[in-house]
Amino acid sequence: MSRYFVSSTQILGNRITIIGEDYQHLKKVLRCEKGDVITVCCDGFDYESEIYEVANDCILADIINKETNLTESELKVTLYQGLPKADKMDLIIQKCVELGVNAIVPVITERCISKINTDKDAKNKVSRWQKIALEAAKQSDRGIVPKIFMPVRFSEAVELASKSNLSVIPYEKESSTGFKAIVSKCFAVETASIFIGPEGGYTEQEIQLAESKGIKKLTLGPRILRTETAGIVALSLMMYELGDVSNGRNKVCSC
């Protein structure tokens, strides 16, 4: 069954109002009618809803049943992704949303090849990336749509990530410390941050700044991974070691 995400302002009492592209899709593509049942998602809840009216500018649906979405991990992971070239960010967002990321922050580092020249350019890119996240959330039965933030400088990113229970930064010159060595010292991690560098990697100064803020450097193995691969691998390991991939749904790991 298709899933449709709404904001809390679109739910009033027992009735949901569906607007915008989802309204157009339901009306013109699926040709939904009164009495059809759909799944509407909001803030981690799934609402089984019956269409009450297909109006000229919206669809009204009545809530039949409300359940907590069971696909969201209690481990909230934020990916701080160095801006990659071309359309690599599209793939990174799509796959990391499928894997359970909670938010993605594009990061401008010293060696970024990709450039964002104006605020308008940044807003346009983020708007497109957010749509990719929405479609990936629908496809993977997510209970939320992970937020794609506006790009930030590396110095601001490390400040933000330092507030997480655990923050890591894979680094190609690190050869001894892996994920297991890090998580073996963890207890009840609820928020985590992962840094991934752009094509050119990080400078020594950036690594030193990250470490000064408590962000732990580690290795993803002996092979050098592309930036669009590294985030997917790191998130997979994080969700396996501390999230719900190996430990069961909705369970915070105590290491």
Side-chain angles (χ1 to χ4, degrees):
M1 185 181 294
S2 298
R3 304 170 70 79
Y4 301 92
F5 286 88
V6 300
S7 67
S8 57
T9 59
Q10 291 171 251
I11 302 177
L12 184 60
N14 200 51
R15 181 154 294 175
I16 300 174
T17 301
I18 300 172
I19 57 177
E21 292 183 4
D22 284 341
Y23 159 71
Q24 296 291 340
H25 181 75
L26 283 165
K27 180 180 180 181
K28 296 184 178 181
V29 179
L30 298 182
R31 299 186 182 280
C32 286
E33 300 176 346
K34 181 176 181 178
D36 289 346
V37 176
I38 58 175
T39 299
V40 181
C41 308
C42 180
D43 296 337
F45 291 98
D46 291 344
Y47 297 88
E48 184 181 3
S49 307
E50 181 178 330
I51 293 178
Y52 170 77
E53 180 182 358
V54 179
N56 292 329
D57 59 351
C58 68
I59 285 178
L60 302 177
D62 291 333
I63 298 171
I64 302 172
N65 186 42
K66 174 184 176 182
E67 294 184 348
T68 300
N69 180 276
L70 297 179
T71 68
E72 294 302 320
S73 173
E74 288 191 12
L75 177 67
K76 306 304 179 186
V77 182
T78 299
L79 173 67
Y80 290 87
Q81 172 67 50
L83 281 174
K85 295 187 295 184
D87 59 355
K88 293 179 180 179
M89 194 69 164
D90 296 4
L91 175 68
I92 292 167
I93 291 170
Q94 182 188 67
K95 298 310 174 188
C96 287
V97 169
E98 291 176 20
L99 287 168
V101 78
N102 190 67
I104 298 176
V105 182
V107 181
I108 302 168
T109 69
E110 290 188 34
R111 292 178 177 169
C112 278
I113 299 172
S114 179
K115 301 296 182 184
I116 295 180
N117 298 315
T118 65
D119 287 344
K120 181 179 180 181
D121 186 25
K123 289 178 181 178
N124 288 339
K125 286 181 179 292
V126 171
S127 177
R128 184 167 65 84
W129 291 336
Q130 192 66 67
K131 289 182 179 178
I132 293 171
L134 171 62
E135 292 306 315
K138 289 180 178 179
Q139 182 274 324
S140 54
D141 282 352
R142 293 290 300 269
I144 65 166
V145 181
K147 182 174 176 57
I148 313 300
F149 285 84
M150 291 288 287
V152 300
R153 296 283 176 183
F154 184 78
S155 57
E156 183 180 350
V158 295
E159 287 288 349
L160 294 169
S162 66
K163 300 173 184 176
S164 296
N165 299 144
L166 172 66
S167 296
V168 299
I169 184 166
Y171 186 45
E172 66 271 17
K173 294 184 180 180
E174 174 61 50
S175 60
S176 59
T177 306
F179 256 95
K180 280 193 176 294
I182 298 293
V183 301
S184 64
K185 303 173 183 178
C186 295
F187 180 80
V189 176
E190 295 181 348
T191 59
S193 295
I194 298 172
F195 278 81
I196 299 296
E199 287 84 356
Y202 290 116
T203 64
E204 290 283 357
Q205 292 75 19
E206 286 173 329
I207 293 296
Q208 290 172 8
L209 176 60
E211 287 189 291
S212 73
K213 297 296 181 181
I215 299 169
K216 305 178 187 303
K217 66 179 181 180
L218 50 75
T219 177
L220 292 178
R223 291 163 291 281
I224 301 298
L225 304 179
R226 292 177 181 270
T227 186
E228 65 269 30
T229 307
I232 296 171
V233 171
L235 179 60
S236 298
L237 290 171
M238 185 74 79
M239 296 304 288
Y240 180 82
E241 295 292 348
L242 297 174
D244 60 358
V245 174
S246 66
N247 297 312
R249 296 179 187 271
N250 299 314
K251 179 179 178 182
V252 176
C253 176
S254 298
C255 303

